Amino acid sequence: MNYIVYFAVILLLPIYAQMKVKSTYKKYSKVRSTSGMTGAHVARSILDANGLYDVKVVESRGFLSDHYNPMTKIVALSSHNYHEASVAGAAIAAHEVGHAIQHKESYSFLTLRHKLVPVANISSNASWIFIMIGMLASFSSLLLVGIVLLAAGVLFQIVTLPVEFNASNRAMDQMVSLGVIRNEEERHAKKVLNAAALTYVAAAAVAVLELVRLILIYTGMTRDE
């Protein structure tokens, strides 16, 4: 029964998070902001207000493909958010600029996440090789290596949480202070940002649960040796 609950959580939680962000975005992407500012205009305004004149704002392809690239100093916004003046578009644009502000200020968790990227990419892929061999061959030492490698990826997921929440808080502060959103729009924008944050919370929760499950398997394996 415990395994049924476990697999239900790790399968359904990410699905729920994705459905939540899509439904919330769809709803508020249809609500026009009273400022009439497109996502591109919002991003440019916040960047300039924070002295980030060297950061470019460009249009990107794909649904909710919005992101900030610290290497190229580019805020990329999906087409709808780039061109349309919606509450959802403004919130997402401001969130991505929040990452640019973090970059400028050398926000500690963002700096740590950048350092973890290459480690997490390699370890997350390699970890399952050791985990599968260790479990199939009942070789606890290999399983432990896999767990340690996987832990690096889990750490990346956990560190991502304060980065994303901080960027959202910065986004709200910037939008309010610059008059991008007003009154009831603040509550709507928070719903968009909270829904987006839920996807990161779900990913971190699933990663931690999987790590704990493997640690329990490892302790059981070593107990039997």
Side-chain angles (χ1 to χ4, degrees):
M1 182 63 181
N2 288 337
Y3 274 104
I4 294 176
V5 173
Y6 167 77
F7 284 113
V9 170
I10 66 170
L11 289 174
L12 296 180
L13 186 58
I15 293 174
Y16 170 75
Q18 287 296 328
M19 290 176 61
K20 182 67 175 178
V21 72
K22 288 181 180 179
S23 63
T24 304
Y25 173 78
K26 183 178 180 180
K27 179 178 180 179
Y28 293 108
S29 64
K30 296 177 181 178
V31 178
R32 183 176 176 82
S33 60
T34 54
S35 66
M37 297 172 67
T38 65
H41 189 184
V42 170
R44 187 72 270 159
S45 296
I46 298 176
L47 287 168
D48 291 348
N50 287 273
L52 291 167
Y53 306 107
D54 58 335
V55 177
K56 296 180 180 179
V57 181
V58 302
E59 182 180 357
S60 67
R61 296 180 179 179
F63 177 71
L64 290 180
S65 56
D66 314 78
H67 64 278
Y68 169 66
N69 188 327
M71 302 300 293
T72 58
K73 290 190 174 182
I74 288 177
V75 170
L77 303 176
S78 53
S79 295
H80 190 276
N81 294 334
Y82 186 92
H83 294 287
E84 299 298 324
S86 70
V87 171
I92 292 173
H95 176 88
E96 298 308 332
V97 174
H99 288 309
I101 298 174
Q102 289 175 336
H103 187 203
K104 175 190 176 183
E105 298 179 356
S106 298
Y107 177 59
S108 57
F109 283 106
L110 182 68
T111 301
L112 177 58
R113 186 173 75 165
H114 287 166
K115 291 180 179 179
L116 286 172
V117 169
V119 177
N121 287 340
I122 296 173
S123 63
S124 294
N125 293 327
S127 64
W128 288 104
I129 298 175
F130 291 95
I131 289 170
M132 293 306 296
I133 294 175
M135 291 177 66
L136 291 173
S138 297
F139 197 171
S140 61
S141 296
L142 282 180
L143 177 57
L144 179 60
V145 172
I147 290 173
V148 171
L149 291 173
L150 185 64
V154 174
L155 178 60
F156 176 81
Q157 297 279 9
I158 294 172
V159 169
T160 294
L161 295 179
V163 173
E164 296 301 328
F165 282 116
N166 179 264
S168 290
N169 290 335
R170 291 173 187 266
M172 288 301 303
D173 291 342
Q174 292 292 326
M175 285 190 291
V176 172
S177 64
L178 294 176
V180 173
I181 56 175
R182 304 181 183 93
N183 304 322
E184 186 68 11
E185 291 174 333
E186 291 182 36
R187 190 166 65 89
H188 297 163
K190 283 182 180 179
K191 287 184 178 181
V192 174
L193 294 174
N194 288 341
L198 182 60
T199 60
Y200 294 100
V201 173
V206 168
V208 170
L209 283 173
E210 184 63 10
L211 181 62
V212 170
R213 184 180 73 89
L214 291 170
I215 291 174
L216 291 175
I217 291 175
Y218 170 75
T219 55
M221 189 180 293
T222 54
R223 195 181 302 119
D224 296 335
E225 289 179 349

